[in-house]
């Protein structure tokens, strides 16, 4: 099931997403005592992560945080998702160290992807790895996570974690595969700004399969949290 929510401002979007996150956390903890999430990088979610860091009564001791993707750069690099998310969220909350599952950047991209997949599988033990909540962004080209248009990673049917690269970047990326993302219970896309309006229409309205984000599904629901600028081309919003 896909749901599209549009908010006048990014601040309103983030406040609503905060409430949504807390409900998902409450449901998951009530059901199995744990809340397993994966967060994306990029600029869009950073202010949301700041709100999350300042929110009281979040049960971080029962929450496990993974990274949807990252660039194979030093952890203090500004283009590292880990670095950005640590700065605005992880360094500001009280959470057991073992609840944060970092990608091992000391390995090459193939070994790092393999190691992360093994970490995810061992975390979920005998169960099929299924996150409770994943937050994704969307690039202007329709990419999500580090799954880019025309990339072979989109055809991956077995691996849970893949390595990818783009012609414009000098570094490799590690990313959840579509297979892993699509096993998630609830997937949230957080997209704001005029510059994303065209691609949002292509994905939500036109269902353009050339856009990797169009292929994202979820076991329960995919919810688009949009601001009015990103939603402007959607009919009857
Ligand atoms: C990344 C993200 C990527 C991001 C989009 C949108 O590592 O950069 O996983 O998929 O969500 O590129 O980025 P912005 O939020 O900066 O527009």
């Amino acid at each position: 099931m896909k749901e599209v929510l549009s908010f006048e401002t990014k601040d309103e979007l983030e406040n609503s997403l905060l409430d949504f996150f807390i409900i998902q956390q409450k449901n998951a903890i009530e059901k199995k005592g744990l809340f397993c999430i994966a967060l994306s990088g990029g600029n869009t979610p950073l202010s949301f992560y700041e709100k999350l860091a300042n929110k009281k009564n979040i049960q971080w001791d029962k929450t496990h945080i993974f990274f949807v993707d990252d660039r194979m750069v030093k952890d203090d690099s500004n283009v590292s998702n880990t670095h950005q998310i640590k700065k605005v969220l992880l360094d500001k909350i009280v959470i057991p160290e073992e609840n944060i599952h970092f990608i091992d950047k000391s390995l090459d991209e193939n070994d790092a992807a393999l190691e992360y997949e093994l970490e995810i599988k061992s975390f979920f033990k005998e169960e099929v790895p299924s996150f409770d909540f994943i937050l994704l962004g969307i690039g202007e080209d329709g990419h999500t996570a580090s799954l880019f248009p025309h990339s072979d990673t989109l055809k991956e049917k077995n691996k849970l974690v893949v390595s990818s690269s783009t012609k414009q970047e000098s570094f490799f990326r590690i990313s959840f595969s579509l297979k892993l993302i699509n096993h998630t219970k609830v997937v949230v896309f957080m997209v704001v700004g005029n510059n994303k309006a065209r691609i949002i229409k292509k994905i939500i309205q036109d269902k353009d399969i050339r856009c990797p984000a169009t292929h994202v599904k979820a076991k329960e629901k995919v919810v688009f949290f949009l601001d009015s600028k990103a939603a402007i081309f959607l009919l009857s919003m």
Side-chain angles (χ1 to χ4, degrees):
M1 181 181 103
K2 287 197 177 178
E3 214 175 315
V4 181
L5 305 173
S6 172
F7 301 86
E8 198 45 47
T9 66
K10 186 177 182 185
D11 192 49
E12 284 170 24
L13 182 162
E14 290 172 343
N15 291 333
S16 176
L17 183 51
L18 211 43
D19 293 342
F20 183 83
F21 179 91
I22 290 166
I23 292 167
Q24 301 310 316
Q25 182 186 61
K26 182 171 170 295
N27 293 346
I29 291 172
E30 274 171 5
K31 218 178 272 178
K32 56 184 186 150
L34 274 184
F35 185 42
C36 314
I37 70 174
L39 302 177
S40 282
N43 299 313
T44 304
L46 295 179
S47 48
F48 169 66
Y49 294 153
E50 281 176 330
K51 283 194 169 73
L52 203 46
N54 295 324
K55 186 77 182 169
K56 300 273 173 283
N57 311 322
I58 301 271
Q59 299 182 72
W60 292 118
D61 58 324
K62 295 190 174 73
T63 299
H64 280 260
I65 301 175
F66 289 75
F67 299 85
V68 171
D69 64 337
D70 205 350
R71 300 82 185 273
M72 291 305 283
V73 294
K74 286 200 176 6
D75 272 345
D76 59 358
S77 155
N78 271 333
V79 295
S80 157
N81 293 344
T82 308
H83 175 70
Q84 293 299 334
I85 297 172
K86 255 172 84 35
K87 215 166 52 176
V88 296
L89 175 64
L90 303 180
D91 290 349
K92 296 187 173 171
I93 58 175
V94 177
I95 182 169
E97 235 174 79
E98 63 273 17
N99 287 27
I100 305 174
H101 304 262
F102 292 107
I103 294 167
D104 184 347
K105 306 284 189 69
S106 67
L107 304 170
D108 73 28
E109 67 281 358
N110 296 317
D111 290 344
L114 191 57
E115 278 304 304
Y116 208 44
E117 175 155 340
L118 291 174
E119 167 140 6
I120 291 167
K121 282 178 173 171
S122 71
F123 177 79
F124 284 98
K125 298 188 178 69
E126 299 74 46
E127 290 170 34
V128 173
S130 171
F131 285 85
D132 297 304
F133 176 97
I134 285 190
L135 192 145
L136 296 175
I138 295 178
E140 292 182 44
D141 61 356
H143 82 260
T144 190
S146 287
L147 304 171
F148 290 88
H150 321 300
S151 162
D152 286 346
T153 54
L154 296 169
K155 298 176 202 138
E156 178 55 55
K157 294 280 177 268
N158 300 309
K159 289 181 187 162
L160 303 182
V161 182
V162 291
S163 61
S164 71
S165 62
T166 67
K167 293 192 184 69
Q168 298 77 13
E169 296 172 335
S170 59
F171 46 75
F172 280 94
R173 290 163 170 255
I174 302 296
S175 176
F176 278 18
S177 65
L178 269 179
K179 175 178 181 179
L180 180 55
I181 291 171
N182 289 355
H183 264 112
T184 302
K185 295 177 183 61
V186 176
V187 171
V188 162
F189 280 109
M190 183 181 174
V191 187
V192 301
N194 291 317
N195 63 317
K196 300 287 176 76
R198 189 188 55 78
I199 202 67
I200 280 296
K201 177 186 178 299
K202 282 177 87 167
I203 292 163
I204 295 178
Q205 207 143 291
D206 309 344
K207 297 180 177 47
D208 187 333
I209 59 168
R210 291 167 298 179
C211 302
T214 306
H215 298 274
V216 169
K217 298 193 278 288
K219 288 169 71 176
E220 288 174 17
K221 58 184 172 182
V222 175
V223 188
F224 288 83
F225 277 77
L226 310 174
D227 74 351
S228 51
K229 296 187 180 87
I232 197 158
F233 295 147
L234 294 181
L235 302 171
S236 67
M237 274 310 297

